[in-house]
Structure formats: structure tokens, C-alpha cells
Amino acid sequence: MDIEFNKNDDTMRQLVYRLDEKLKKVKLGGGEKKIESQHKKGKLTARERIEYLIDDGSDFLEVAALAGDGMYADVGGCPSGGVVTGIGQVSGRDCMIVANDATVKAGAWFPITAKKNLRAQEIAMENRLPIIYLVDSAGVFLPMQDEIFPDKEHFGRQFRNNAKMSSMGIIQVAAIMGSCVAGGAYLPIMSDEAAIVDKTGSIFLAGSYLVKAAIGEDIDNETLGGATTHSEISGVTDNKFPNDQACLDYIRSVFDKIGEFEKAGFDRKEPKAPKENPEEIYGIMPDSRVKPYEIKEIIKRIVDDSEFDEYKEAYGKSIVCGYARIEGWAVGIVANQRLIVKSKKGEMQMGGVIYSDSADKSARFIMNCNQRKIPLVFLQDVSGFMVGSRAEHGGIIKDGAKMVNAMANSVVPKFTIVIGNSYGAGNYAMCGKAYDPRLIYAWPTAQMAVMSGAAAAKTLLQIKVASLKAQGKVIEPEAEKKLLEEITDSYNEQLSPYYAASRIWVDGIIDPLDTRKVIAKGIQAANHAPIREQFNVGIIQT
């Protein structure tokens, strides 16, 4: 291997190590003392409940593990958004699992908690996945109630989704394993079936203190809304169980008896490992954003048997399109290619820029995949669309719109992996979060923003300097340099994949070696949802 490969490999391994360390910390939730407190109450933690519930030896694809990372520091933070969500297998059935983490502020809902719960429900609805709620929450985090309660995408939307999923025939099963209060009480009771754990589970619209304040009645929480009350008197819950394990065993038995689902029918054959060593991705992916690399070498280390049937290989070379299999599933891949182009001034690195011919090719390829019912995989490393008079005169806006139109109207499931840059309109064309990918994950090398850090910092500096001049102020060169550094540092923080993952702009950050697993898990889930719509792009200028 050459020196460049070894440098790249070392850089990627450091990034993956940082990711692993951050995830370890996040998975401790509110910390070891809070975990110990849960155990003393006879309760499992959210992650322990999930581990007990899913099938032995099966993978759990976590969604938004890094939600809330670096947010809410003034109130002690909210690791993983105070809730664990992801796709797991229960009694052989793929399902979405949502488990409140009571070690984080007693499972209280922060704004990011609501966003994460809604993302989990969205994935369940798009893929027609059964959903299991493991409820253990003190309700809304009151200091932030104005950011959680009243708006369309806030707390209440989850109960609207409960009703919608029920009407769609999506199975919902809930277990009340701790507190379940106020509006949150509707979530398990709007599910198909609600189990409750004796002595630790409770459910009521208002707790004993609020009841005392509101109507003057003296009553304890257990009598008011404990397992015995709701299983034997009110009939609100269906069954009670002596502990978490017995409750989870019952859920497994429920899923063991569910009938077969109608499949979408995506093609799958016997999975094959890549012939090329996947670990070589570490050395192929450059340690710098201005260095080119061959995206097809990355693809060969992701797809089965390293076989990739390229579409229009000699045309539109800044995007590579083609057919392959991932863990046996047929896929259509759309991937950006960093190019070195020659101009009158010499060589210029164009970092994943989309040209007119590439956009035209991609649009046609996306249409073909819809015609053939092949799921789409987008590998993003894109700086945007080509600019300048030559590009404009060549109709870049028209061709870009053609690609966005075909991608946005695609009816086959789409999966996006951000492996490098994800800037501006390139993010949109390559199926960013706004375009409904079934799953969107990032590598530790990803960056997301309107433009690169260097370009944005210079633009913001010019605006700031002009503003100061308008006020009659003069900025010295040394002060201007310092201001540029401050702006660059601030913008670079926002470029980080962790910034994106914290706000659920992506569903998580993954080790590049897990890319196959994530895509395969996503297609397996998507196979639960038959395609009912006809592919129609509307009006496209040619």
C-alpha cells in the first residue's frame, strides 16, 4: 500500500474510534448511578429491555442514537434524546421499537425527543412496520413546554400518528413499564394492546399531586393509576405482569402469532460478501476534501461479489450510476464522483460537482429503477451543481430540475449514505432528508451545509466587514483575520456530521464497514410496504 493510502486509513480509523467512544457514552444514558437506580427498582433500562425483547443473534439498527448530542447543556443534556429507537426483529418479525430512557430526566420529553419519536413513527408508517412502545416517561419537560406542546410537529402529532397507523392496519403494541402521564397516556391506549408491569407501571391523566390541587382528592398514584387499577377496575390496560421480563415475554408471544404480511416484492438472491476487502474503504476515502478518488472502488467494497453493472459509463462522469446487489437485494446506485478537470488555468478539482450531462443521466437511471421496481441507493459526496456562463447556457438548471423531479417522485424506496460533502442543492438532488429517504446515515467523513466552510466563512466575513463599514467603523487587518477565524470555527462546528445527527438531519453516523448492513436492513423493512403508486414525474422540460 502507498503512503497516501496509509494516511487515509489512519485518519478514518481515528474518526471511527471517536464515533465508537461517543456512542459508548451515549448508551450510558443518564449515567451509571441512574442505571443502578433503575435496577434497584426492579426495572431494566431502555437498552436492556430492547436487548431482552429482540431475537437472539439478531441485529438492532438504531435510529438517531446521537439525537440531542451537545444540546440542552444548560439543563444537563439529553443523551440520545431520552429515548431509544430502531428496527429490530421480534419473534422473526421486523418492527420499530421505541423505548423511553428513564435514566435521562425520568424519560421526560424534550423538543428533540418529540422529533425522534415522530421520525420513528414515520419509518414505521412508510415501511408498514409493526411498532412496539416501551413506555417509561414523566411526560413533557415543562421548562421547554412551548417548544414541545402546541405545534404541528410537536408532542401531539404522535397520537395523531397512532390513529393513522391503526387505520392503515399497522400493528401497535405498548408496554407501560414506568410512568405514563398526562397526554402521553393516550399513546399506549391508542395502541392495539397495552400491557402494564405491576408496581412500577402507572398511567393517569393527572398524578396524585395534581389531583389534590385540582379537586382536593387525596389518593396515592398506585390506587389512582397502577396496574391493578387499570387491569381489574378500569379495563384501560389488557394484562398486568410481575416484572419487565414477563411483560416482554408476552410481547414476544404476541408477535409470534402475527399473520404473514403482503410484500413489496423486491428481488433478492443469496447474499455474497464483496470480493474486494471492505476495510480498504478506510484507505481509499481521502483524508482531504480536495483530493479526488475513484467512487467505483468504494462501491466494489460495498456490493455483493464486488459486481457493479455501470449505466452510461462513458457519459456524465461526475455521477456514477449502476446496478448491483447488497446482501442479496437488487439495488440501483447513484454516486458522486470527485473529478479533476482541466481548464486554461490548469487542473482544477471539482469535488463532486453535478454537470448537466450527469444530471440528465441520473434522471434517466432513476426512471429505469422505478420501471423495474429496484430500490435506489444514493452515495453522497457532492458540492453542488456546476456554475458559470457555460453551465447556465447549457441549461444546468433545467437538467438539475429534471434530476430532482425524477428523484422526488420516485416510488421505489430510497436510501442515502452521506460519505463526504453534502452541500447546497447537491444535497437535494442526491436525496437529502427533505426528499424522504427511508433511511439516511452518514460516515464520520460527512459534512452538511449550504456551502463549504472556507467559502461560507469568506462570504460571512465580507457581509460583516461591509456592515461595520456602513456604521463608519474601520476594521484592522489583524482584527479581520481574527474575525475570519471565529466565523470559520463556528461554521465548521455546524458542518460536523455530529451536528447533523444531533438534530436528526441524518438517522445516525456509522462506521463505513456497516454500510451494507444498514442498507440491507432498510430494504428488508421496505419490503413490508407494497408499492401502490404509479411512478409519474409530471412535467419535465427536455
Side-chain angles (χ1 to χ4, degrees), residues 214-239:
I215 63 174
E217 180 183 1
D218 279 311
I219 189 168
D220 63 89
N221 281 339
E222 185 64 26
T223 306
L224 179 66
T228 298
T229 295
H230 285 312
S231 295
E232 299 179 18
I233 300 172
S234 72
V236 167
T237 54
D238 300 301
N239 288 290

Side-chain angles (χ1 to χ4, degrees), residues 38 65 77 106 118 151 163 173 180 188 208-209 247 267 278 289-290 298 306 334 357 366 396 405 472 503 508 513 521:
Q38 283 278 98
L118 292 175
D151 210 348
V173 176
C180 184
S208 56
Y209 293 128
C247 187
D267 187 64
R289 295 180 188 280
V290 298
I298 299 281
S306 299
V334 182
D357 53 359
I366 290 166
I396 185 66
N405 198 329
R503 287 149 184 82
L513 303 185
K521 191 78 170 175

Side-chain angles (χ1 to χ4, degrees), residues 48 71 125 176 204 267 295 312 357 367 449 471 478 496:
E48 288 168 345
M71 300 170 69
M125 293 169 81
I176 301 152
F204 32 64
D267 187 64
I295 188 62
K312 289 184 181 284
D357 53 359
M367 293 177 191
Q471 298 170 36
E478 193 61 34
S496 164

Side-chain angles (χ1 to χ4, degrees), residues 39-79:
H39 291 164
K40 284 180 179 177
K41 294 174 185 175
K43 298 165 68 176
L44 300 174
T45 65
R47 293 183 183 279
E48 288 168 345
R49 287 166 178 164
I50 292 172
E51 187 178 354
Y52 185 93
L53 179 64
I54 63 174
D55 297 346
D56 290 341
S58 66
D59 291 322
F60 178 67
L61 177 59
E62 189 161 354
V63 173
L66 293 163
D69 179 54
M71 300 170 69
Y72 315 119
D74 55 332
V75 292
C78 185

Side-chain angles (χ1 to χ4, degrees), residues 329-391:
W329 294 102
V331 295
I333 297 174
V334 182
N336 301 112
Q337 172 70 68
R338 287 192 203 171
L339 294 173
I340 292 285
V341 296
K342 291 184 179 179
S343 67
K344 291 178 182 178
K345 296 180 180 180
E347 290 191 343
M348 183 170 56
Q349 202 284 122
M350 297 309 296
V353 171
I354 302 174
Y355 291 82
S356 283
D357 53 359
S358 303
D360 175 69
K361 175 174 84 171
S362 301
R364 183 59 182 262
F365 180 74
I366 290 166
M367 293 177 191
N368 281 348
C369 287
N370 276 270
Q371 185 84 344
R372 301 171 191 178
K373 206 158 76 168
I374 299 174
L376 284 158
V377 173
F378 293 83
L379 301 179
Q380 278 198 16
D381 188 357
V382 59
S383 299
F385 285 88
M386 189 57 190
V387 296
S389 60
R390 185 175 177 182

Side-chain angles (χ1 to χ4, degrees), residues 267 299-300 302-310 321-333 365 369 374-375 377 516 523:
D267 187 64
I299 292 171
K300 286 177 185 177
I302 292 174
V303 302
D304 288 14
D305 216 25
S306 299
E307 289 186 355
F308 179 63
D309 300 325
E310 193 168 352
C321 300
Y323 305 99
R325 290 187 182 274
I326 293 177
E327 293 291 346
W329 294 102
V331 295
I333 297 174
F365 180 74
C369 287
I374 299 174
V377 173
R516 279 169 57 83
I523 299 175

